[in-house]
Amino acid sequence: MNIHEYQAKDLLKKYDVAVPAGIPAMSVDEAVKAAEQLAASGTTLFVVKAQIHAGGRGAGHFKDNPEGKGGVRLCKTIDDVRAAAEAMMNKVLVTKQTGPEGKEVQRLYVTDGVDIDQEYYCSVVLDRASAKVTFMVSTEGGMDIEEVAHENPDAITKVAIDPDAGITDADAGKIADGLKFEGATKANAITFFKNLYKVYVDLDATIVEINPLITVGDEVMALDAKMNFDENALFRHPDVAELRDETEEDANEKIAKDNELSYVRLDGNIGCMVNGAGLAMATMDIIKLYGGEPANFLDVGGGATAERVTVAFKIILSDPNVKGILVNIFGGIMKCDVIAQGVIAAAKEVDLSVPLVVRLEGTNVEKGKELMAASGLPIIAADNLDDAAQKVVQATKQAEAA
């Protein structure tokens, strides 16, 4: 689960991680009031920041003004804050991470404009290779870390934390050394990194990213913050779960979640419905191997009902980019005839108009094949996964060419 920047900073403050003063706003008038409140505390330079679940806001553009400013703007006066808020609120912001469709800005964050000495990058993630929580830091803050890793990998320092010992002063010191901090700045950074680790572990986060991390004199501060959480652990954190903004989530992903389906939309044109995450990954890989592009990851799980399969099928077909579908089921707990019933029901209900390739294997496979054969639907049967991938890629290309 992802949250907004202002929510992440509120959580960071609870762990004594320094952030600039800021107030969220849900309207233009609230943004103005926030700026007035900050001004009363001594703020003379304001920053108005669009709040969407995507990075690159400052470098992005609004659909109604492609040549104008992005979603992060410096303002010297209250009137400037109002103008910036009016230019952002309820407008569609396009960034590298949103794709060309962009995201509508429904929340703003008005913050104190701080006098930055230097910008850095910092994130806390799980390194699955070492099975350890790992800090990644770089002196090249404010940039896309993937870009830094590609162009200047030596600029990234990684420090893995022993899960039994937790983060030590020595660990935090290594992280600070990676950013070339010295003296009082290093001492403050050690405390900063130890608190950041505690945030990650205590809240079951999957990533805590500070980009940029900044220095203001000797102080170390999070100028921006991104946090994601393990949804399987949210039952332990009802206060974090309440931060979910469903308006930022893909509508189909929400429907899938409500029906206990695992769905992630991708950019391809071949819809996939599979049971089991590993099989789903293998299915997407083999589609790409034969020159196709998967349109989604969709795992119906081991105990899906015909009704849930119908929902899954509808979700796939609601994507206008889908020009072909591959159903790949290995029946164990999930019975092949149940899958067949769901596929048939959904295909008839939505008036299937794209090629459908089905590969079934396992429990009740013959019954499932009989049901599909008797359905009257133009289903293309496949003998195995290799055969299924080749058939769906070929059928999809023919459908697009027609």
Side-chain angles (χ1 to χ4, degrees):
M1 186 189 85
N2 196 3
I3 61 175
H4 289 289
E5 173 195 357
Y6 75 89
Q7 296 168 324
K9 285 182 174 176
D10 283 345
L11 292 175
L12 292 177
K13 283 189 289 186
K14 293 178 181 179
Y15 285 81
D16 295 324
V17 175
V19 301
I23 302 170
M26 307 303 163
S27 69
V28 172
D29 287 342
E30 285 189 17
V32 172
K33 289 179 182 178
E36 291 172 342
Q37 186 175 332
L38 290 171
S41 301
T43 295
T44 58
L45 180 65
F46 311 93
V47 184
V48 180
K49 311 179 81 171
Q51 298 294 283
I52 59 172
H53 288 178
R57 292 167 292 163
H61 68 272
F62 286 89
K63 274 193 171 182
D64 67 334
N65 186 15
E67 304 303 320
K69 297 178 181 179
V72 178
R73 304 189 186 186
L74 290 175
C75 302
K76 294 181 179 180
T77 68
I78 301 296
D79 286 341
D80 290 343
V81 170
R82 177 178 291 279
E86 288 175 345
M88 296 185 196
M89 184 62 77
N90 300 321
K91 305 294 176 56
V92 176
L93 178 61
V94 179
T95 78
K96 290 192 298 184
Q97 293 187 12
T98 64
E101 67 276 9
K103 286 193 173 185
E104 182 178 343
V105 177
Q106 299 180 16
R107 307 181 189 202
L108 300 173
Y109 189 36
V110 183
T111 75
D112 183 13
V114 296
D115 189 9
I116 301 169
D117 290 332
Q118 187 67 41
E119 295 187 356
Y120 305 86
Y121 175 88
C122 173
S123 66
V124 191
V125 296
L126 177 64
D127 179 7
R128 298 189 182 277
S130 64
K132 292 181 179 179
V133 174
T134 300
F135 278 78
M136 292 176 55
V137 296
S138 173
T139 55
E140 300 188 24
M143 294 182 62
D144 189 328
I145 195 62
E146 288 83 2
E147 195 174 302
V148 175
H150 177 70
E151 296 181 0
N152 188 14
D154 293 337
I156 298 176
T157 297
K158 296 182 181 181
V159 179
I161 309 302
D162 183 279
D164 293 324
I167 190 169
T168 64
D169 285 347
D171 292 328
K174 289 180 184 178
I175 301 166
D177 290 340
L179 297 177
K180 300 180 174 59
F181 290 155
E182 297 178 343
T185 303
K186 180 175 179 178
N188 290 332
I190 287 173
T191 300
F192 182 97
F193 294 133
K194 290 177 72 174
N195 289 343
L196 207 60
Y197 177 82
K198 189 170 177 58
V199 172
Y200 182 92
V201 173
D202 284 2
L203 299 181
D204 290 302
T206 55
I207 184 172
V208 177
E209 183 179 62
I210 311 300
N211 188 28
L213 177 152
I214 62 170
T215 51
V216 181
D218 293 332
E219 187 174 14
V220 178
M221 182 179 293
L223 189 64
D224 198 354
K226 174 184 177 180
M227 294 180 68
N228 288 354
F229 302 90
D230 181 355
E231 294 198 358
N232 294 315
L234 284 178
F235 71 92
R236 289 199 288 258
H237 309 286
D239 54 333
V240 174
E242 289 178 357
L243 302 178
R244 168 171 261 131
D245 181 1
E246 293 184 348
T247 65
E248 287 286 320
E249 298 177 2
D250 182 276
N252 281 333
E253 290 183 15
K254 183 181 182 302
I255 293 171
K257 193 176 300 177
D258 292 342
N259 285 274
E260 299 180 37
L261 303 167
S262 296
Y263 171 83
V264 178
R265 182 175 176 177
L266 302 174
D267 296 328
N269 60 358
I270 298 177
C272 307
M273 184 168 71
V274 190
N275 65 323
L279 187 59
M281 296 298 290
T283 301
M284 292 191 294
D285 285 345
I286 200 166
I287 285 173
K288 290 183 70 70
L289 177 66
Y290 285 109
E293 289 293 334
N296 63 269
F297 170 100
L298 198 159
D299 173 16
V300 297
T305 62
E307 290 73 21
R308 275 167 55 189
V309 171
T310 303
V311 171
F313 209 76
K314 287 181 180 179
I315 289 172
I316 293 173
L317 287 170
S318 69
D319 182 350
N321 293 327
V322 170
K323 306 302 179 184
I325 299 175
L326 172 56
V327 175
N328 180 28
I329 300 298
F330 187 86
I333 299 173
M334 167 57 67
K335 295 178 175 60
C336 292
D337 57 324
V338 173
I339 290 290
Q341 290 168 7
V343 169
I344 293 167
K348 289 182 176 179
E349 189 171 334
V350 301
D351 190 20
L352 181 68
S353 59
V354 299
L356 171 62
V357 177
V358 179
R359 177 255 182 169
L360 297 178
E361 194 59 67
T363 306
N364 291 355
V365 62
E366 293 305 325
K367 189 180 293 185
K369 289 180 178 180
E370 289 172 5
L371 287 169
M372 287 192 294
S375 69
L377 295 170
I379 297 173
I380 304 170
D383 297 328
N384 52 55
L385 180 53
D386 192 76
D387 180 46
Q390 292 185 64
K391 284 180 175 177
V392 76
V393 169
Q394 181 181 9
T396 301
K397 288 180 178 179
Q398 290 175 346
E400 286 194 311

